[in-house]
Amino acid sequence: MSPGPFLHPFAKPASERFIPITRGEGALVWDADGRRYVDALASLWYCQVGHGRAEIADAVSAQMRVLESYHSFDIFTNEPAERFTAEIADIAPMGEARVFLTSSGSEAVDSALKLVRQTMTQRGTPERHIILARTLAYHGVTYGGLTAQGLPLNQTGWGPLLPGVERIAHDDLEHVAHAFAQHGSEVAAVIAEPVIGAGGVHPPAPGYLRGLRDLCDRHDALLIFDEVICGFGRLGAWWGADRYGVVPDLVTFAKGASSGYLPLGGVVVGPKVREALEADPDFLLRHGHTYSGHPSCCAAGLANLEILRRERLAERALPIGERLGGGLRQLLDEGTVTAVRGDHAIWAVDLPDGVDAAVVRDGMLERGVIIRPIGATTIALCPPLVIEDADLDLCVEALDAAVREVTADRARPTAD
Ligand code: PLP
């Protein structure tokens, strides 16, 4: 048998084993054999409002029946895109915001990187082109985000990456200060996830994000928060920026913006970027995607925002964290896992030496829980904000049992 035509993302191209997911409801999904799973990673860190929301489907369907899509380049616009960007600007962590739209987080990150460089060009300081980006960061897979991310395995084999990106330590402000001392007059921006997500769930060290803000201010650089995972209630507020009380100049978002019902992302830009871009009335922003401002995707985004608001789902993130984090810490006390990290509704554990994360993933699948292994040693959990307590408990029980199964197998004497 040879692999099928679908060349899967972040998968082994030679692989033939896939699990068809056929249905979802709330924090649960079912496979083609009717097996039920707790979706403990909210699909891929995005399904904030849970699966099966008919009102989002209805909003998209209604929009599609009137106008499925029309581009928004140059002189054209559409009501869902205008309304969605107005709502995002309204909840933005910075005042006087405007919103550029994309279809994904990677496009959002690349757009943000281009926007900060264009800002510097419009200000008359084009030599400011360097982006400082953190170790362990994940910023997507297009060349800008790929270069900015701090996960070397993902960067291997793709040829030359983007020039002008320098690495800073994700947890060491002194190292960032050193980078500014070296490149200060050439730095356009620092990019940072408030909580590092796909790189293993690392909440910021106390004062780190504030320190980035201060360094950017001192050196006239811009601060980008990549909130593709952190935004839309994941950390108990609209943004990680709100959670940690630090105001960035740009925010990238995607995922929870539509809870994944349709592809939707974007970049929120604050006054510093706006001033530079709006100063010359003849300046033309030569950047945009065919689907920037796609009306049906924006209709999904609007319906998603409505649910987040009406059901106050951001307020669910803290109790989720208390229950899930509490359960995981119990496993730490018992020695089942070796580290627990997280904040509100995003968590990870490290596994003991020799316990492979992919094997634990399979063991948890057998017990009806989907998590994501990160590297060989880390398990991430980031459930829909509608998850029930019993399903959170099942996540912890399944993790416990899956790890114990591996360690018991290792301890068993061999037959000969
Ligand atoms: N930025 C962050 C912080 C992410 O977590 C991700 C995806 O996980 C991206 C960017 C890229 O988003 P996408 O996969 O939608 O391109």
Side-chain angles (χ1 to χ4, degrees):
M1 222 175 104
S2 66
F6 183 10
L7 182 58
H8 282 250
F10 273 96
K12 294 176 183 166
S15 182
E16 291 166 16
R17 179 184 158 246
F18 299 101
I19 301 171
I21 298 295
T22 54
R23 189 165 73 84
E25 199 180 315
L28 303 176
V29 292
W30 284 262
D31 70 13
D33 296 328
R35 288 172 57 101
R36 166 200 192 269
Y37 303 92
V38 175
D39 181 14
L41 204 84
S43 184
L44 204 50
W45 322 82
Y46 63 68
C47 193
Q48 249 73 331
V49 301
H51 301 280
R53 293 284 193 162
E55 73 180 269
I56 303 184
D58 290 345
V60 171
S61 162
Q63 179 57 43
M64 284 206 171
R65 283 168 206 284
V66 180
L67 176 69
E68 77 296 342
S69 188
Y70 204 81
H71 78 86
S72 59
F73 278 27
D74 199 6
I75 58 174
F76 293 105
T77 192
N78 64 76
E79 202 210 336
E82 293 290 344
R83 281 179 46 217
F84 181 70
T85 50
E87 291 208 14
I88 298 292
D90 209 41
I91 58 172
M94 67 288 252
E96 297 172 60
R98 289 182 76 181
V99 184
F100 182 85
L101 290 174
T102 68
S103 306
S104 70
S106 297
E107 289 176 353
V109 168
D110 276 41
S111 296
L113 301 184
K114 288 181 75 178
L115 286 170
V116 295
R117 285 184 170 176
Q118 189 62 252
T119 295
M120 296 307 168
T121 302
Q122 294 307 310
R123 282 181 176 179
T125 54
E127 70 282 3
R128 284 189 174 274
H129 68 287
I130 290 179
I131 311 292
L132 301 182
R134 298 162 81 194
T135 50
L136 294 184
Y138 184 77
H139 295 301
V141 293
T142 46
Y143 273 99
L146 176 67
T147 310
Q149 64 164 277
L151 301 170
L153 285 179
N154 290 345
Q155 295 172 314
T156 306
W158 309 108
L161 302 181
L162 194 69
V165 176
E166 299 290 336
R167 190 67 50 212
I168 51 174
H170 73 276
D171 53 358
D172 181 356
L173 264 183
E174 269 188 40
H175 187 263
V176 187
H178 183 67
F180 268 108
Q182 264 191 310
H183 305 287
S185 59
E186 287 184 319
V187 176
V190 175
I191 183 165
E193 297 159 89
V195 172
I196 287 174
V201 183
H202 297 268
Y208 182 89
L209 297 176
R210 160 69 43 208
L212 290 185
R213 176 72 275 175
D214 292 344
L215 283 165
C216 285
D217 288 344
R218 214 172 305 148
H219 294 274
D220 221 7
L222 299 171
L223 180 60
I224 307 168
F225 276 175
D226 183 353
E227 300 243 15
V228 165
I229 288 180
C230 295
F232 301 98
R234 179 62 52 199
L235 293 170
W238 282 115
W239 310 102
D242 303 331
R243 159 73 179 100
Y244 297 111
V246 176
V247 181
D249 300 303
L250 300 94
V251 173
T252 53
F253 65 89
K255 298 195 189 271
S258 64
S259 290
Y261 277 72
L262 283 177
L264 182 61
V267 188
V268 186
V269 301
K272 289 183 193 160
V273 176
R274 287 191 57 178
E275 275 158 28
L277 299 182
E278 294 168 9
D280 173 0
D282 292 327
F283 168 68
L284 177 64
L285 183 67
R286 292 182 187 276
H287 176 70
H289 303 276
T290 296
Y291 301 128
S292 290
H294 190 291
S296 299
C297 298
C298 291
L302 283 163
N304 176 63
L305 289 180
E306 163 67 21
I307 294 172
L308 284 169
R309 273 207 188 88
R310 190 181 63 231
E311 298 183 9
R312 304 162 82 95
L313 291 182
E315 291 174 25
R316 286 279 302 134
L318 187 60
I320 286 172
E322 282 168 356
R323 193 158 190 117
L324 184 57
L328 297 176
R329 284 198 193 96
Q330 178 83 32
L331 298 190
L332 181 66
D333 292 344
E334 292 162 6
T336 314
V337 300
T338 56
V340 176
R341 296 179 296 276
D343 189 12
H344 285 75
I346 178 168
W347 290 84
V349 297
D350 289 342
L351 300 171
D353 276 352
V355 177
D356 186 75
V359 176
V360 171
R361 184 264 323 271
D362 291 347
M364 292 183 74
L365 273 177
E366 276 167 28
R367 293 166 175 86
V369 176
I370 303 177
I371 50 73
R372 186 158 170 77
I374 295 182
T377 56
T378 299
I379 299 288
L381 302 103
C382 179
L385 299 176
V386 294
I387 191 166
E388 313 235 328
D389 285 350
D391 289 331
L392 288 171
D393 297 345
L394 182 62
C395 293
V396 177
E397 286 156 24
L399 173 62
D400 187 30
V403 175
R404 282 178 195 276
E405 189 174 45
V406 180
T407 43
D409 273 356
R410 281 191 323 178
R412 204 166 290 140
T414 46
D416 51 322

